[in-house]
Amino acid sequence: MSFTRRNALKTLAGAAALAAAPLTSLAKSDDIVIGSLHDLSGGLDILGKPMQDAMLLAVQEINDAGGLLGKKVSIATMDPQSNMQLYAQYAQQMALKDKVTALFGGITSASREVIRPVMKRFNTLYFYNTQYEGGVCDRNTFCTGQTPAQNVDKLVPYITKRWGKKIYVVAADYNYGQITNDWIKKYAAQSGATVVASDFFPLDVNQFGPTIQKIQAAQPDVVISVLVGGAHMAFYRQWAAAGMNKKIPMASTTFNNGNEHIVLSPAEADGIVTAFSYFESIDTPNNKAFVERWHKKFGASYPYIGELAAATYQGVHLWALGVKKAGSVDRLKTIQALETGISFDGPSGKVTIDPATHHCTLDIQIAECQNKKWKILESFKQQKPVDTAAVCDLIKSPNENKQFVIKV
């Protein structure tokens, strides 16, 4: 399941009319080259641009520390423009023409599932650095973002204890939204709560009046938003304009990824609760130093460093540690090195690759939006990606290549 059928057809039909995005290569012939394939334009550029910036900072740090294996690391960048056909085209180009050692890319699950088989076919290591619905089991792929077993598992019990047992879900209409809704149902049932209704929206929808009326009629105790991207930000504005943010509290698994809390006014965003591995407000020496380095490179006015940027930054450093341990950029040797359980002390805390699933053990924070900032309410150390560990074991079954999906 990816985008809705209507959007998928529209995306493919429009792809032929798009001009090819230029390749921005900072690579030299003797560099170790990695690929960046993130949406730098299109509907998801608000998410993709910070991920690209995170790669630039991580590579600068690696090179400032002496590079890898006596060489500098360079980035080859392409912009798929939030278009699935371009994702496929550029992923193949990076593997075959640019010969990247590893590719870092994809935001939606649809883009990941376009990239992943291309990278596997051409034996190019792939890092997916986005929080997602979980379940990918592929030895060639490493997922550094949080899964529902790490954030939804903590968010649902918190909000049902605080606000009540009746949940209404509004979600993006593709893999992430659909499957995360099932995880919400699972953890709601474990908390003695119920999902009274779930509504799904294509990524280009920006009118939510009828849905807000449905929510008013259902009278839930809390709304959980699993909305994604710039168009969906309109939901929060329309929700506040209807006065609903004063009547029904809201939580989200995605709010903050696109700097929604910065773009919206405090009157529209205050009080929304979410759970992520990373917030810029994490009060640790590692994170303070990371934020300082970020602003030194990108400017003091940079709006906010979010979850996807932190996961991408940590993903690049994990890859580099794997290469160092392997003593080689050879794909299989790097995979084997990463499977030893390599850890990186990053801005979100200690991040450790789980050998069996190729996902990461992470710290998780629950936080509330207050005046364009995040107040951390609760912290959970070293949460394992158990949603995949129950079914995915790449040590026992290294040739596994699928996405396990929750059954509800």
Side-chain angles (χ1 to χ4, degrees), residues 47 50-51 53-55 129 257 278 290 294 302 304-314:
L47 308 178
M51 299 172 80
D53 289 342
M55 289 191 66
N129 303 295
N257 276 337
Y278 180 77
F290 166 73
W294 186 285
Y302 201 100
Y304 189 80
I305 311 166
E307 168 78 16
L308 304 188
T312 303
Y313 170 86
Q314 291 168 170

Side-chain angles (χ1 to χ4, degrees), residues 168-185:
Y168 199 113
V169 178
V170 290
D173 192 13
Y174 69 102
N175 268 12
Y176 175 70
Q178 296 279 357
I179 298 173
T180 299
N181 179 63
D182 290 339
W183 284 107
I184 291 170
K185 289 179 179 178

Side-chain angles (χ1 to χ4, degrees), residues 207-369:
Q207 295 299 318
F208 297 92
T211 296
I212 291 172
Q213 292 177 357
K214 286 174 62 178
I215 297 172
Q216 287 176 307
Q219 296 185 328
D221 296 314
V222 60
V223 171
I224 296 182
S225 165
V226 193
L227 299 172
V228 174
H232 285 182
M233 202 181 304
F235 173 78
Y236 304 105
R237 287 201 168 105
Q238 293 164 29
W239 179 257
M244 294 303 296
N245 59 338
K246 305 297 183 184
K247 299 175 182 178
I248 301 174
M250 184 178 296
S252 178
T253 65
T254 53
F255 190 89
N256 180 40
N257 276 337
N259 285 344
E260 292 89 346
H261 70 297
I262 300 294
V263 177
L264 299 174
S265 69
E268 294 165 328
D270 278 4
I272 295 176
V273 169
T274 191
F276 287 106
S277 178
Y278 180 77
F279 291 94
E280 194 175 305
S281 53
I282 291 175
D283 188 13
T284 63
N286 260 2
N287 184 48
K288 289 178 179 178
F290 166 73
V291 172
E292 184 177 342
R293 293 193 303 274
W294 186 285
H295 287 295
K296 182 178 180 181
K297 182 170 181 63
F298 301 114
S301 62
Y302 201 100
Y304 189 80
I305 311 166
E307 168 78 16
L308 304 188
T312 303
Y313 170 86
Q314 291 168 170
V316 174
H317 275 289
L318 286 166
W319 162 79
L321 290 172
V323 169
K324 285 182 180 179
K325 188 175 182 68
S328 171
V329 294
D330 176 80
R331 182 185 68 95
L332 184 55
K333 289 180 180 179
T334 303
I335 289 172
Q336 291 170 337
L338 292 166
E339 286 175 340
T340 62
I342 280 177
S343 294
F344 175 67
D345 290 325
S348 73
K350 184 179 180 181
V351 182
T352 303
I353 291 176
D354 174 47
T357 66
H358 287 198
H359 288 62
C360 289
T361 297
L362 301 162
D363 293 349
I364 297 294
Q365 323 286 337
I366 293 178
E368 181 174 325
C369 188

Side-chain angles (χ1 to χ4, degrees), residues 86-238:
L86 292 180
Y87 261 112
Q89 176 184 333
Y90 296 160
Q92 182 167 323
Q93 178 175 325
M94 284 191 163
L96 294 180
K97 181 180 177 181
D98 304 301
K99 300 187 183 302
V100 299
T101 300
L103 178 67
F104 299 76
I107 297 176
T108 65
S109 301
S111 61
R112 181 197 67 240
E113 290 308 301
V114 168
I115 295 171
R116 194 166 66 85
V118 175
M119 294 298 99
K120 196 169 186 72
R121 178 183 177 188
F122 296 114
N123 295 318
T124 303
L125 189 58
Y126 175 41
F127 277 76
Y128 181 58
N129 303 295
T130 306
Q131 72 161 101
Y132 84 112
E133 69 279 358
V136 168
C137 190
D138 174 0
R139 198 178 184 208
N140 193 60
T141 299
F142 288 84
C143 302
T144 65
Q146 60 186 337
T147 67
Q150 294 165 311
N151 64 340
V152 179
D153 175 56
K154 298 298 178 290
L155 185 63
V156 170
Y158 175 86
I159 64 171
T160 54
K161 182 179 179 180
R162 179 173 173 180
W163 288 317
K165 304 293 187 180
K166 292 172 60 179
I167 301 170
Y168 199 113
V169 178
V170 290
D173 192 13
Y174 69 102
N175 268 12
Y176 175 70
Q178 296 279 357
I179 298 173
T180 299
N181 179 63
D182 290 339
W183 284 107
I184 291 170
K185 289 179 179 178
K186 170 185 171 70
Y187 293 124
Q190 291 180 359
S191 300
T194 303
V195 174
V196 297
S198 304
D199 288 343
F200 300 94
F201 305 92
L203 294 179
D204 59 356
V205 167
N206 61 11
Q207 295 299 318
F208 297 92
T211 296
I212 291 172
Q213 292 177 357
K214 286 174 62 178
I215 297 172
Q216 287 176 307
Q219 296 185 328
D221 296 314
V222 60
V223 171
I224 296 182
S225 165
V226 193
L227 299 172
V228 174
H232 285 182
M233 202 181 304
F235 173 78
Y236 304 105
R237 287 201 168 105
Q238 293 164 29

Side-chain angles (χ1 to χ4, degrees), residues 25-28 31-35 59 63 72-76 319:
S25 180
L26 304 178
K28 297 179 181 178
D31 285 352
I32 296 172
V33 183
I34 58 176
V59 166
N63 287 336
K72 294 291 186 181
V73 178
S74 297
I75 305 173
W319 162 79

